[in-house]
């Protein structure tokens, strides 16, 4: 057992400073699988090492996607290691052989959590979801199903279900993204509106959006050039602002 701080320091460098120099990287399987099961930031950081062992050293992890799904909680859009997590999640969900129910569960859970996410995270996650729809056309039923639930209680999706296959995500619809089309930030509303149109076959490059910060978003808005809008000012006449207002003969605005 390691202190939490030491766990994080080890896992941050393990995938590029330790595993490549080991004669038998498979010896780290137990350590990484235990770390992956701890939860929180430690589980996120263990993903890097697990990715290498799964893809290069034939590590079999039967409940890998179930555990990955359980890591999706409201803090996922706020944590320090958000970019690393979504980069790896993008890789894990890139296979076209994944079942539709599994991908739909990830799409639905990420969309539900997006309702409380900051704008900089939303500008990353919406293209991320669009890419998932491009890779897995069977999930597009979530977008094209007309008439979402009147309220959250009517949504068949079970947010609390830990097993993706039992979440009933494929029976639901993406009313959450429709809600984001009315977001206060215009860039987010514009990004969410893309799902109203047919998606292009070319995937969006999200690499530049993974580490987008609130400061960069604010700085971008501040540096926008203001457009001079011509205004016509007409002095108010009468009580109701109309010309030849009969009330003006009998009432004064003073």
């Amino acid at each position: 057992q390691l202190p939490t701080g030491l766990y994080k320091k080890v896992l941050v460098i393990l995938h590029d400073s330790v595993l490549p120099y080991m004669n038998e990287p498979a010896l780290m399987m137990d350590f990484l699988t235990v770390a992956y099961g701890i939860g929180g930031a430690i589980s996120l950081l263990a993903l890097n090492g697990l990715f290498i062992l799964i893809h290069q050293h034939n590590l079999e992890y039967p409940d890998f996607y179930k555990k990955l799904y359980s890591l999706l909680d409201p803090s996922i859009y706020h944590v320090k290691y958000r970019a690393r997590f979504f980069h790896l999640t993008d890789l894990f969900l890139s296979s076209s052989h994944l079942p539709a129910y599994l991908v739909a569960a990830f799409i639905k859970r990420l969309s539900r959590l997006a309702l409380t996410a900051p704008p900089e995270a939303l500008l990353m996650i919406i293209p991320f979801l669009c890419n998932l729809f491009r890779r897995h056309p069977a999930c597009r039923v979530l977008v094209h199903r007309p008439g979402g639930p009147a309220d959250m209680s009517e949504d068949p999706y079970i947010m609390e279900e830990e097993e993706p296959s039992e979440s009933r995500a494929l029976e639901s619809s993406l009313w959450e993204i429709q809600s984001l089309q009315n977001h206060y930030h215009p860039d987010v509303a514009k990004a969410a509106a893309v799902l109203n149109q047919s998606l292009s076959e070319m995937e969006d490059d999200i690499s530049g959006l993974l580490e987008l910060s609130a400061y960069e978003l604010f700085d971008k808005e501040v540096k926008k050039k203001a457009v001079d809008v011509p205004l016509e000012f007409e002095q108010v006449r009468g009580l109701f602002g109309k010309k030849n207002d009969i009330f003006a003969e009998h009432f004064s605005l003073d």
Side-chain angles (χ1 to χ4, degrees):
Q1 297 220 348
L2 298 175
T4 303
L6 185 56
Y7 241 131
K8 292 179 180 179
K9 287 181 180 179
V10 170
L11 292 171
V12 163
I13 64 170
L14 190 68
H15 65 287
D16 59 357
S17 299
V18 179
L19 290 179
Y21 303 100
M22 292 182 67
N23 292 328
E24 295 185 45
L27 292 173
M28 300 301 295
M29 286 181 179
D30 289 340
F31 172 75
L32 286 169
T33 50
V34 169
Y36 190 45
I38 289 177
I42 292 177
S43 291
L44 300 187
L45 293 174
L47 276 173
N48 266 112
L50 278 177
F51 174 72
I52 293 175
L53 295 183
I54 289 172
H55 281 259
Q56 298 178 14
H57 302 282
N58 301 317
L59 169 64
E60 292 187 11
Y61 197 110
D63 293 328
F64 177 79
Y65 283 100
K66 178 181 176 181
K67 178 61 182 175
L68 184 65
Y69 182 74
S70 70
L71 291 179
L72 302 180
D73 59 31
S75 68
I76 205 66
Y77 291 123
H78 304 270
V79 292
K80 178 181 178 182
Y81 309 105
R82 184 186 70 198
R84 180 191 295 240
F85 174 76
F86 279 104
H87 169 69
L88 290 169
T89 304
D90 188 42
L91 289 174
F92 292 134
L93 296 177
S94 61
S95 172
S96 58
H97 299 292
L98 293 174
Y101 76 81
L102 178 66
V103 180
F106 274 88
I107 290 173
K108 185 64 180 176
R109 193 174 182 95
L110 287 170
S111 300
R112 181 67 61 84
L113 296 173
L115 292 174
T116 57
E120 62 272 16
L122 292 174
L123 290 175
M124 175 272 298
I125 199 60
I126 293 173
F128 181 91
L129 295 177
C130 289
N131 285 346
L132 291 181
F133 282 121
R134 291 184 177 100
R135 297 170 193 166
H136 308 276
C139 295
R140 293 185 184 182
V141 65
L142 295 175
V143 178
H144 298 301
R145 181 172 285 124
D151 57 66
M152 283 180 61
S153 62
E154 296 181 11
D155 191 341
Y157 173 67
I158 307 172
M159 182 74 172
E160 297 76 20
E161 178 58 55
E162 295 182 359
E163 183 62 56
S165 61
E166 304 293 332
S167 66
R168 299 177 63 190
L170 272 177
E171 302 173 31
S172 185
S173 62
L174 280 192
W175 57 267
E176 296 91 348
I177 300 299
Q178 191 171 5
S179 299
L180 293 178
Q181 292 174 3
N182 299 309
H183 197 272
Y184 69 87
H185 197 290
D187 289 348
V188 173
K190 182 179 178 181
V194 170
L195 283 173
N196 289 341
Q197 309 161 5
S198 57
L199 294 173
S200 62
E201 293 185 7
M202 184 72 69
E203 289 193 10
D204 296 322
D205 182 12
I206 65 169
S207 58
L209 302 171
L210 290 174
E211 297 189 19
L212 185 65
S213 65
Y215 175 81
E216 291 173 324
L217 210 58
F218 182 79
D219 193 52
K220 178 185 174 184
E221 291 296 322
V222 169
K223 290 181 179 178
K224 278 185 178 179
K225 293 183 179 180
V227 180
D228 293 330
V229 180
L231 300 174
E232 182 179 356
F233 173 74
E234 183 177 335
Q235 191 171 1
V236 177
R237 299 179 183 180
L239 190 62
F240 296 106
K242 298 179 180 179
K243 294 181 180 179
N244 304 320
D245 189 353
I246 190 172
F247 288 95
E249 298 179 12
H250 307 284
F251 297 96
S252 172
L253 295 176
D254 293 337

